[in-house]
Amino acid sequence: MAQTVPHPLSDLTVAEINRARDIVLGLHPGSVIDFRSIYLLEPPKSEVVPFLDLEHAGKLKASTPRPARLAQVRYDIIGGAKAAEYHESVIDVS
């Protein structure tokens, strides 16, 4: 089954959210992580406009370059007697 590439402005897929979560968990082994949110960090307009121009002209191809799919991840690291530490990370899920 061929995997389709999401539109650059589409919400993150479940697989992309899980990938971002797994990367954060891997960065903090043994820590308790409380995820606040994981969502699409929209690409810069300068990267989206060329894609949208091709899309609107009906000229998109599988090989058309697409902006990176980035997840904005907000979470707390919770550790025993220490106060929870808030973190924000940007994860490339592609």
Side-chain angles (χ1 to χ4, degrees), residues 38-82:
I38 301 175
Y39 60 91
L40 177 71
L41 181 62
E42 289 187 3
K45 184 176 180 179
S46 62
E47 294 179 19
V48 176
V49 169
F51 176 87
L52 294 176
D53 289 344
L54 289 172
E55 180 182 48
H56 294 157
K59 297 181 180 179
L60 276 185
K61 299 178 183 171
S63 61
T64 300
R66 287 167 165 74
R69 298 279 292 168
L70 301 176
Q72 174 77 50
V73 185
R74 295 178 175 166
Y75 58 97
D76 295 302
I77 299 175
I78 302 168
K82 267 177 56 175

Side-chain angles (χ1 to χ4, degrees), residues 28-45:
H28 305 283
S31 297
V32 175
I33 306 293
D34 180 24
F35 289 92
R36 293 181 180 208
S37 62
I38 301 175
Y39 60 91
L40 177 71
L41 181 62
E42 289 187 3
K45 184 176 180 179

Side-chain angles (χ1 to χ4, degrees), residues 6-8 10-13 16 40 67-71 91-94:
H7 189 280
S10 294
D11 288 337
L12 294 173
T13 65
E16 290 171 324
L40 177 71
R69 298 279 292 168
L70 301 176
I91 308 287
D92 185 336
V93 294
S94 50

